[in-house]
Amino acid sequence: MTKGTRWLLAGLAALLVAWLVAPAVVPIYDGVGNPDEPYRYVSAPNGKTTKAPTVAKATVSINGAGLSAAAYSNSGEQGPQVVLYIPAGSLKAPNGATSIQVSETPLAPSAPLPTDGTIVTNVYRVAATTGNGAVQIVGKTVNQIPTLQMRAPSSQQPGPVYERRTAGGWERLDTLRVGQDIYQASATTFGDYALVQLKNAPKTGGSSSGGGVNVGLLAVGIGLLALAGIILAIRITRSRRAT
């Protein structure tokens, strides 16, 4: 095995490792080629009037064990104000079900409201049903749990964070900024989610390039692959000249 071939194999291995450790994320829609339309509210602040927000819906197929296939549920705005990514096997339907209906329904904020900040988006109710009984979220790791992305009304920073309604109020969730105005969190339960601008807002994790450390690993793998390709091309050229 030549040195160039070893470099090529090392680059491929690094790229494979980066792909495996990088969590699945929902597509990012903001950017030069896909400008966002103004945010649509159920009840706009300051008495403003906007277009009505859309309900995100999707029909998710299931296998013989009742486990869900991979699917996306996107709202209809440009770009979508809410997107739910459902990894394969993350949902389990009751016996007798043939598919799972998932939805994210926009609602106006209602009491009790968060005490640590102000809701700046619609409240989105994430739900799943089959008509035969309750659907369960059975994913155990980050890559197996449904991922929720929501678009904020603006890209100002520090940005908002995710909060989920509980029986006693609202609880803050780990939030990752994956676009100029797009934020991501794991949806470990069904229920009501919103983006909240904190009174004393820390900067949210991630960046507009999305992915943090995992994107860095992917970049390293691609770089090594490119380097291996260059070395291999040089060696082949020299070998042909010598011949």
Side-chain angles (χ1 to χ4, degrees), residues 123-157:
V123 175
Y124 280 92
R125 180 160 294 169
V126 179
T129 182
T130 64
N132 288 5
V135 176
Q136 298 178 330
I137 297 177
V138 294
K140 301 300 182 182
T141 67
V142 173
N143 287 349
Q144 296 172 334
I145 296 173
T147 300
L148 186 67
Q149 281 192 355
M150 289 171 58
R151 174 162 65 91
S154 73
S155 57
Q156 71 176 35
Q157 294 298 312

Side-chain angles (χ1 to χ4, degrees), residues 118 120-121 152-154 156-162 175 177 181 183 194-198 201-202 204:
T118 302
V120 294
T121 60
S154 73
Q156 71 176 35
Q157 294 298 312
V161 299
Y162 270 94
T175 303
R177 180 185 173 213
D181 54 4
Y183 298 84
L195 290 179
V196 175
Q197 189 67 49
L198 300 177
T204 55

Side-chain angles (χ1 to χ4, degrees), residues 10 14 18 22 30 35 42 53-54 91 94 116-117 144 175 191 208 221 223 235-237:
D30 62 333
V42 174
T54 62
L91 305 182
D116 56 352
Q144 296 172 334
T175 303
S208 59
R235 291 182 63 87
I236 291 174
T237 302

Side-chain angles (χ1 to χ4, degrees), residues 98-116:
T98 57
S99 64
I100 298 174
Q101 308 296 321
V102 298
S103 63
E104 303 92 69
T105 305
L107 306 170
S110 59
L113 298 173
T115 58
D116 56 352

Side-chain angles (χ1 to χ4, degrees), residues 13-76:
L15 182 59
L16 178 61
V17 170
W19 277 337
L20 290 175
V21 300
V25 296
V26 185
I28 298 172
Y29 291 88
D30 62 333
V32 176
N34 298 281
D36 293 339
E37 65 172 291
Y39 196 87
R40 300 186 187 187
Y41 290 94
V42 174
S43 179
N46 303 322
K48 296 179 180 179
T49 301
T50 68
K51 292 181 179 180
T54 62
V55 179
K57 296 180 179 180
T59 299
V60 183
S61 60
I62 58 177
N63 61 20
L67 296 176
S68 61
Y72 289 100
S73 176
N74 302 350
S75 62

